[in-house]
Amino acid sequence: MDKIRVTGGVPLRGVVSISGAKNAALPAMIASLLTAETIELENLPDVIDIRTTRKLLSEFGVEADVKQGGSAVLRARRVTGCEAPYDLVKTMRASILVLGPLLGRFGRARVSLPGGCAIGSRPVNLHIEGLKKMGARCEIVHGYVEALSEGLRGANILFDTVTVTGTENLMMAACLADGETTLDNAACEPEVADLAGLLNSMGAQIEGAGTRTISIRGVKELHGCRYRIIPDRIEAGTFAAAAVITRGEIDIAGCRPDHMTAVLKQLEQAGAEIEVGKDSVRVCGKNPIRSLDVTTHPYPAFPTDMQAQYMALMTQGDGSAVITESIFENRFMHALEMARMGADIIIDGRRAVVKGGQALTGARVLASDLRASASLILAGLVAKGDTFIDRVYHLDRGYYHIEEKLSRLGAIIERIR
Ligand code: EPU
């Protein structure tokens, strides 16, 4: 299995271009299930989760052509099956997103329950409860959600917890439902708003996406369209943190600074110099890094998907920083690996206390999930000597050629096959 070797000590310099957002691209591809017409998507990142989604859609009989260069042509003219099997769902939890569209258009779906994962228990009860409120019958049988409906109807749904894919699933289900659906305490993430943008281009009637209340007036059918996916704010944030931790200076091109406000503010307060352009950000890390607490929350606050990368940065801070993870109960696995590199991190439930100013030394480390992998690369970029990161497949699920992008910025990094 591939490994990444990073040799620390080089300040990053240059320009990096940001790819399309994985977490916007996955629901967009799945939304193609809602129409018999052709959906053309642009700016898909070439990452493994996109290939897994193509495979998943093919299971249903969708003609899915994902081209090199980031475009895809998807057509769900006929659907030959409505089952998302365990083997695919276990590798990519976002597969649960097929539930809403399959039920909305075909009245049936059988989707394996994802189960727990490396960052927490991650239940999907709110997806299922919402679909039931819209009139679906859902049962858990042999580890699968089996859902049936003779036609979904609009409903008022209040989420107990903000859920990104839960909001997306119900928004897609509601597009073809009879009447109006209101989603309250909905996720405001840019990826949710981007999905609504696509669905509206397909003829849906959605208002309020990007706010806490979304209303969807059901329509009889949706049609084809062409749509461009937003840039990946987490990839952009990861490169910003990489610039600061290495004391470098980089231009992050092709991003949406307005989607990164909390992250850029946090980095700025931690000492970075940030210059925001229309679709770019310049990040300079020449100042000392200040230790600064942070708590993850749903958008627009500081994202859980940047928590691990921020922890790597705080190992180089001038004092102690408390990092509180409020979204997932078990998202500190990277801390133990960073400790193997010499970081001083104490975990207490959902809080991690990171004592800065420790010189990291390269070590062999294991990546437990996607963002943990990125954080270990960041730690490796400042560690003395070589860091070898194992289980790189996590990284490949969500970052497009990160080692190539970093080496173009001057990092000494390579993939060992
Ligand atoms: N939750 C429930 N019940 C549900 C659904 C969620 O209790 O039915 C809880 C979860 O356990 C968690 C919280 O709600 O405590 C938020 O989870 P959410 O449902 O928002 O997470 P998700 O939709 O499964 C997406 C991203 C994640 C990202 C989270 C939070 C996609 C495909 N995944 O997951 O991305 O961390 O939102 O922002 O959009 C990543 O890219 O590395 C990644 C993990």
Side-chain angles (χ1 to χ4, degrees):
M1 219 174 282
D2 293 3
K3 281 187 186 42
I4 297 271
R5 175 168 55 201
V6 193
T7 311
V10 183
L12 300 187
R13 302 218 181 274
V15 182
V16 61
S17 293
I18 296 308
S19 303
K22 167 189 79 96
N23 287 349
L26 304 180
M29 289 176 75
I30 290 172
S32 67
L33 285 168
L34 285 164
T35 175
E37 295 185 13
T38 303
I39 302 293
E40 288 181 52
L41 298 175
E42 289 165 12
N43 205 29
L44 299 177
D46 184 8
V47 297
I48 293 198
D49 275 7
I50 296 294
R51 289 178 225 162
T52 309
T53 307
R54 191 196 58 72
K55 212 159 148 197
L56 179 66
L57 292 173
S58 307
E59 292 268 329
F60 305 134
V62 178
E63 299 153 40
D65 184 11
V66 179
K67 300 183 166 69
Q68 272 204 338
S71 64
V73 180
L74 306 159
R75 187 155 188 203
R77 207 174 347 189
R78 277 184 314 273
V79 157
T80 48
C82 279
E83 175 168 323
Y86 178 66
D87 283 340
L88 284 177
V89 179
K90 76 171 189 226
T91 60
M92 193 188 67
R93 301 179 52 83
S95 313
I96 193 74
L97 283 169
V98 302
L99 199 52
L102 285 177
L103 208 49
R105 180 158 162 230
F106 304 102
R108 67 199 159 93
R110 188 168 186 268
V111 180
S112 172
L113 274 175
C117 76
I119 63 176
S121 58
R122 304 187 74 183
V124 290
N125 57 311
L126 301 176
H127 304 229
I128 294 171
E129 278 167 28
L131 291 171
K132 281 185 177 167
K133 278 202 102 177
M134 295 173 78
R137 276 173 287 134
C138 298
E139 272 185 88
I140 311 286
V141 186
H142 302 303
Y144 280 72
V145 188
E146 295 189 349
L148 284 173
S149 141
E150 273 90 56
L152 296 175
R153 50 175 191 273
N156 293 334
I157 295 162
L158 169 66
F159 291 103
D160 294 341
T161 308
V162 175
T163 159
V164 175
T165 49
T167 302
E168 292 167 346
N169 223 343
L170 297 188
M171 196 164 74
M172 288 193 278
C175 285
L176 296 175
D178 186 18
E180 186 160 334
T181 299
T182 309
L183 304 178
D184 262 315
N185 197 26
C188 305
E189 269 66 4
E191 294 75 17
V192 174
D194 200 43
L195 175 62
L198 165 67
L199 294 167
N200 281 341
S201 304
M202 293 166 68
Q205 297 203 1
I206 303 174
E207 281 177 19
T211 74
R212 286 273 168 257
T213 304
I214 303 177
S215 54
I216 307 117
R217 193 186 299 274
V219 296
K220 285 267 170 289
E221 57 184 17
L222 296 180
H223 53 72
C225 74
R226 176 183 285 207
Y227 197 76
R228 187 172 176 83
I229 302 297
I230 50 169
D232 196 316
R233 65 194 165 100
I234 304 300
E235 187 199 20
T238 302
F239 279 101
V244 184
I245 201 171
T246 60
R247 308 306 183 76
E249 180 166 3
I250 67 169
D251 284 303
I252 302 170
C255 65
R256 285 280 302 258
D258 57 324
H259 292 166
M260 300 167 65
T261 309
V263 169
L264 295 179
K265 188 172 160 210
Q266 187 75 23
L267 294 179
E268 196 162 36
Q269 289 175 348
E273 286 177 16
I274 308 269
E275 241 177 81
V276 170
K278 194 168 136 281
D279 58 1
S280 65
V281 179
R282 169 169 289 197
V283 183
C284 173
K286 68 173 189 287
N287 301 327
I289 298 169
R290 279 199 289 275
S291 292
L292 196 70
D293 299 351
V294 79
T295 302
T296 64
H297 283 298
Y299 190 83
F302 191 90
T304 173
D305 290 344
M306 278 298 298
Q307 178 260 108
Q309 300 89 314
Y310 186 73
M311 184 180 285
L313 183 63
M314 284 300 104
T315 66
Q316 303 305 300
D318 61 357
S320 285
V322 180
I323 300 179
T324 308
E325 172 55 63
S326 80
I327 310 288
F328 294 114
E329 71 272 21
N330 187 29
R331 207 174 195 180
F332 283 142
M333 301 290 272
H334 42 277
L336 302 170
E337 300 300 306
M338 285 178 201
R340 299 191 60 254
M341 300 173 70
D344 182 345
I345 305 170
I346 297 168
I347 305 291
D348 175 17
R350 285 181 177 246
R351 288 173 6 130
V353 182
V354 188
K355 201 164 150 220
Q358 313 293 321
L360 302 184
T361 51
R364 289 188 60 177
V365 288
L366 273 187
S368 52
D369 78 88
L370 170 58
R371 309 302 168 186
S373 323
S375 75
L376 294 172
I377 291 187
L378 297 197
L381 288 172
V382 279
K384 192 167 184 324
D386 288 349
T387 298
F388 293 87
I389 299 147
D390 231 320
R391 296 203 190 151
V392 168
Y393 56 88
H394 288 300
L395 199 65
D396 295 336
R397 285 189 47 205
Y399 285 94
Y400 175 64
H401 296 176
I402 192 170
E403 73 277 15
E404 286 173 23
K405 288 189 180 186
L406 282 169
S407 67
R408 265 182 253 132
L409 295 170
I412 305 173
I413 182 167
E414 64 169 340
R415 181 179 289 254
I416 304 169
R417 294 190 192 274

